[in-house]
Amino acid sequence: SDVTVSDCTLRTGEGGIKLGTESAGDFERIRLSRVRIVSAREGGIKLLSVDGGVIRDVTIEDVTMGRVVVPIIMRLGARLKEFRAGQGRHAPGAIENITLRRITARDAQQIGILVSGIPQARVSHVVIEDVDLQLPGGGSEEEGETRLEEKPAAYPEISMFGARMPAAAMYLRHIADVRLSRVRIHLADPDLRPAAICI
């Protein structure tokens, strides 16, 4: 808790800014600003709670990124891995009170924003504003009819849902009070999928 990070240049074969995967503990009051992600093979901004931990009160702003698979991923799941005997959590955690602003991504390889809770635990109170994303497009009408599996116990990675998303730009499900404003999407190729899916 109470972590501030600013003025960084990052290059990684994994996630650029990442809270979680191994997330039985909580992340609270995190501030990141003025970050340049040169490349990140596994995603730009990744907020992941799958082991019962809470990710709360996080602000990430003024981030530029290039060559990422997906610029923004939030996943709330229920893997509930026990890291120490008798100290595991037995219910999903939370992702709440998240603010992402002034985010720019170039050369992303898939969808721009993926936010996915599970039926019994929703991602909540999220603000995403002033975002400019360059995405590949090129999706087909058939891909737009794809239904993503829930996979609550899976390791949280974009690949868990398959190679293509049913939306060209944004896919949001099991959410509560998620607000988007001034989100600009640029598609390199025409796309027959819906631009955004919110379910």
Side-chain angles (χ1 to χ4, degrees):
S1 60
D2 298 301
V3 175
T4 299
V5 178
S6 61
D7 299 295
C8 297
T9 299
L10 309 173
R11 182 193 313 268
T12 177
E14 300 302 327
I17 297 169
K18 183 178 180 182
L19 302 180
T21 300
E22 275 60 40
S23 50
D26 299 335
F27 301 81
E28 296 183 297
R29 299 180 301 281
I30 311 293
R31 301 287 180 270
L32 293 100
S33 62
R34 299 186 302 279
V35 177
R36 177 176 174 245
I37 302 171
V38 177
S39 64
R41 181 175 57 86
E42 296 292 350
I45 297 169
K46 303 175 73 174
L47 307 181
L48 313 169
S49 171
V50 296
D51 299 314
V54 173
I55 300 176
R56 176 189 293 125
D57 191 17
V58 174
T59 299
I60 301 173
E61 56 191 357
D62 298 306
V63 177
T64 61
M65 60 183 86
R67 295 199 303 275
V68 300
V69 175
V70 177
I72 297 169
I73 304 171
M74 294 184 216
R75 171 61 171 174
L76 177 57
R79 181 178 68 165
L80 303 177
K81 181 177 177 181
E82 185 174 75
F83 296 93
R84 294 180 183 85
Q87 295 185 4
R89 297 196 180 186
H90 304 291
I95 298 177
E96 59 189 17
N97 299 336
I98 309 296
T99 300
L100 307 179
R101 65 167 64 99
R102 295 187 297 280
I103 311 294
T104 301
R106 296 288 175 262
D107 300 322
Q109 297 173 22
Q110 285 194 27
I111 197 168
I113 300 171
L114 171 65
V115 180
S116 181
I118 53 178
Q120 66 270 36
R122 297 189 292 176
V123 177
S124 62
H125 306 295
V126 174
V127 174
I128 300 175
E129 60 186 12
D130 295 308
V131 172
D132 193 290
L133 306 176
Q134 184 184 79
L135 306 174
S140 68
E141 191 171 342
E142 182 181 9
E143 288 169 335
E145 297 172 357
T146 301
R147 294 179 61 88
L148 298 188
E149 295 181 53
E150 295 287 351
K151 297 189 175 183
Y155 181 90
E157 193 55 80
I158 186 65
S159 58
M160 68 189 284
F161 295 123
R164 300 290 287 181
M165 295 284 109
M170 294 183 286
Y171 185 88
L172 301 93
R173 70 173 173 186
H174 307 309
I175 59 175
D177 190 21
V178 174
R179 305 180 185 189
L180 298 98
S181 61
R182 297 181 299 282
V183 176
R184 293 169 294 278
I185 303 296
H186 312 275
L187 299 178
D189 293 314
D191 203 300
L192 297 179
R193 297 172 293 176
I197 294 176
C198 301
I199 54 176

